[in-house]
Amino acid sequence: MTRILLLTLFISLSSHVFGQLTLDACRQKAQVNYPLARQYKLIELTENYNLKNAAKGNLPQISLSGKASYQSDVTKLPIALPEISIKALPKDQYQIMVEARQNIWDGGLIHHQKQQIQASATETERQLDVNMYALNERVNQVYFGILLLDEQLSQNTLLNEELERNLNTIKAYRDNGIANDADVDAVQVEILNTRQQRTSLEANRSAYLRMLSLLIGEEIPAHTRLSKPVLPGQTISNDINRPELLLYEVQKQVLDVKQQSLKSGYLPQFFLYAQGAYGNPGLNMLKNEFEPYYIIGARMSWNFGSLYTLKNDKRKLDTEKQRIESNRDLFLFNTRLQVAEKDGTISALRKQMKEDDEIIRLRTNIRKAAEAKVANGTLTVTEMLRELTNESLAKQNKAVHEIQLLMDIYQQKHITNEQ
């Protein structure tokens, strides 16, 4: 946790200095900032408290008891001696007792209890790992959403500059009688549409930045640029290393510990005890008066009742293991389906990107030819604007394909947890 905090501080300072954020930095900050991260410390504290409580079972156990009773009859001597009067025991009896018991061997009960506490704490941590891992996908979606909006804003700027250049050209044509006011108005309408699109894109980017700010726990200035991840050149491994697999393994380990603890239910227990009491009668049952007394000794307790259900208890745990293994297989099956689907999407995008540059080159040639035709008076401005829009869309498609490919690759890395 200390290393993570230091790394986050360094990344934070670097991002303020250079005004740029990276995907890895956002992930690190989100992991530290997410409220669920505080539960790691709470799990550790709970485990320590439970272990200390379990260990106290080896300390002397002290109990205080008392009783008052009245019985219908008491023990009497079956003989009568002449001139000797033997008083009968009182039918009302009283006793207050303090007993101390020291465990010698509990059949491994406390040992197995500690193992269960540790195993349960580990299971809770692995479940928390799974929940924290899902946070990375949310960061990915918001981060690449901003990158996509940045590309669209960049293309919007280029289109607006191109329209402004054409507006000046068309105005010159109008002044020379080649074009008219309607042609100028058509270009101005496209400029206004481009500005409206920019307003919408900027509003969406602001909303996404706000979402990313909440995720990483710090304010992100509007001028901050997000670093585009480098497109991996090598093939992504399909080996699955998700934290869910560790969770399934730990769940089976918890059942193993429970199965081992069944032994403590049918093993004998040995302990020492000491009793100190004050009552009437005392140890001398024939003496009718209050007196103190004590008893010390050793005891053995052996309960065979758990043997009746031992076989079924083991079967229940084996059934639970089979259920966990079934959930693991189902998770791997669904994950492999996601990987296969993402492989197809990535392959299709790579093929499309190979043709994007050629489409842009052809669209640029068509647009330039259209501008030349407008200058010669053989093409209307509206038709030329259509070709200009088609060229802009081709460039936007290329930018979208690049960001989409990056997003899909990182989604696949998230699906498999490839580092």
Side-chain angles (χ1 to χ4, degrees):
M1 181 61 71
T2 302
R3 289 196 298 268
I4 291 176
L5 290 174
L6 291 175
L7 178 60
T8 303
L9 178 60
F10 173 76
I11 294 172
S12 177
L13 292 174
S14 299
S15 64
H16 285 299
V17 172
F18 299 105
Q20 193 176 61
L21 277 176
T22 64
L23 179 59
D24 289 339
C26 290
R27 283 179 171 179
Q28 292 285 349
K29 292 178 180 180
Q31 291 287 331
V32 175
N33 175 66
Y34 200 50
L36 203 60
R38 293 193 290 270
Q39 293 191 15
Y40 282 107
K41 185 62 177 178
L42 299 178
I43 293 172
E44 181 183 354
L45 290 174
T46 302
E47 180 186 8
N48 290 335
Y49 295 149
N50 289 334
L51 287 174
K52 289 179 180 179
N53 288 340
K56 293 183 185 300
N58 288 317
L59 296 177
Q61 306 298 309
I62 300 176
S63 62
L64 175 66
S65 62
K67 72 174 184 178
S69 64
Y70 182 85
Q71 55 196 60
S72 60
D73 201 358
V74 294
T75 302
K76 299 177 182 177
L77 292 177
I79 58 174
L81 300 176
E83 299 181 358
I84 297 178
S85 176
I86 300 177
K87 294 183 178 180
L89 294 176
K91 294 184 177 181
D92 57 324
Q93 299 182 5
Y94 309 91
Q95 182 190 68
I96 183 169
M97 177 187 296
V98 175
E99 181 180 72
R101 188 173 69 172
Q102 175 61 54
N103 176 45
I104 300 177
W105 167 247
D106 61 358
L109 181 64
I110 294 177
H111 173 71
H112 290 132
Q113 186 179 358
K114 288 181 178 180
Q115 287 186 328
Q116 289 188 40
I117 291 171
Q118 292 171 335
S120 297
T122 303
E123 180 185 6
T124 305
E125 285 184 353
R126 296 294 82 80
Q127 180 62 63
L128 190 55
D129 289 342
V130 172
N131 296 335
M132 293 294 292
Y133 183 74
L135 179 64
N136 289 335
E137 185 176 11
R138 297 174 63 182
V139 174
N140 286 352
Q141 291 174 349
V142 176
Y143 191 92
F144 283 108
I146 296 174
L147 287 179
L148 182 58
L149 289 168
D150 286 341
E151 290 293 340
Q152 291 175 334
L153 283 168
S154 178
Q155 295 301 322
N156 180 273
T157 299
L158 294 176
L159 177 59
N160 186 73
E161 291 174 353
E162 191 68 26
L163 287 171
E164 291 286 353
R165 183 184 65 81
N166 276 274
L167 178 61
N168 295 329
T169 302
I170 298 302
K171 285 182 178 179
Y173 291 162
R174 181 192 59 185
D175 295 339
N176 294 327
I178 300 176
N180 54 40
D181 290 337
D183 294 329
V184 175
D185 292 342
V187 179
Q188 289 179 331
V189 167
E190 290 300 322
I191 291 175
L192 291 175
N193 287 335
T194 303
R195 290 176 181 174
Q196 286 183 339
Q197 292 174 2
R198 185 172 190 84
T199 300
S200 177
L201 292 172
E202 288 176 344
N204 289 336
R205 187 181 190 275
S206 177
Y208 270 72
L209 275 180
R210 180 58 182 162
M211 292 169 61
L212 188 60
S213 296
L214 293 174
L215 285 171
I216 68 176
E218 65 180 49
E219 194 66 29
I220 303 177
H223 59 78
T224 302
R225 310 306 300 176
L226 303 187
S227 176
K228 184 189 297 184
V230 178
L231 185 64
Q234 71 278 9
T235 303
I236 301 175
S237 173
N238 289 337
D239 295 336
I240 299 173
N241 300 306
R242 290 281 292 272
E244 287 87 346
L245 298 180
L246 292 177
L247 174 62
Y248 293 132
E249 291 300 321
V250 170
Q251 288 175 342
K252 290 192 291 185
Q253 291 173 9
V254 170
L255 295 179
D256 289 336
V257 172
K258 289 183 178 180
Q259 193 166 20
Q260 293 174 2
S261 67
L262 293 177
K263 298 179 182 178
S264 59
Y266 59 81
L267 292 178
Q269 298 181 0
F270 299 89
F271 55 91
L272 300 175
Y273 74 93
Q275 296 177 348
Y278 182 77
N280 181 20
L283 293 180
N284 186 355
M285 298 294 294
L286 300 179
K287 191 175 183 179
N288 184 12
E289 62 182 56
F290 284 90
E291 64 178 1
Y293 63 89
Y294 69 90
I295 301 175
I296 58 175
R299 287 179 183 169
M300 182 195 75
S301 174
W302 200 340
N303 185 4
F304 298 98
S306 62
L307 293 175
Y308 301 140
T309 61
L310 180 61
K311 183 178 293 186
N312 286 333
D313 289 338
K314 290 182 177 180
R315 288 174 177 173
K316 284 168 56 179
L317 293 175
D318 290 336
T319 302
E320 188 66 17
K321 284 184 180 180
Q322 294 175 11
R323 185 188 66 82
I324 293 173
E325 192 65 29
S326 176
N327 289 338
R328 180 181 181 275
D329 293 340
L330 178 61
F331 171 77
L332 288 173
F333 179 80
N334 290 332
T335 304
R336 291 190 180 105
L337 283 180
Q338 292 179 332
V339 170
E341 179 184 3
K342 196 59 65 177
D343 278 338
T345 302
I346 291 173
S347 178
L349 281 171
R350 289 187 184 275
K351 291 178 181 179
Q352 290 176 355
M353 289 179 63
K354 291 180 180 179
E355 299 174 347
D356 281 337
D357 289 334
E358 181 63 15
I359 292 174
I360 292 174
R361 186 185 68 82
L362 295 174
R363 284 294 182 188
T364 301
N365 291 339
I366 294 172
R367 187 260 305 168
K368 290 179 179 179
E371 290 177 349
K373 290 179 180 179
V374 170
N376 295 329
T378 58
L379 190 71
T380 64
V381 172
T382 301
E383 291 173 325
M384 184 271 294
L385 290 174
R386 183 174 63 248
E387 299 303 335
L388 178 60
T389 301
N390 289 335
E391 179 192 16
S392 176
L393 288 175
K395 293 179 180 179
Q396 289 185 34
N397 286 336
K398 178 184 177 181
V400 169
H401 289 161
E402 289 178 351
I403 299 300
Q404 187 64 51
L405 178 60
L406 275 172
M407 183 185 298
D408 287 333
I409 287 176
Y410 274 83
Q411 283 180 347
Q412 187 177 31
K413 289 166 69 71
H414 175 80
I415 292 173
T416 61
N417 193 25
E418 179 183 346
Q419 301 300 324

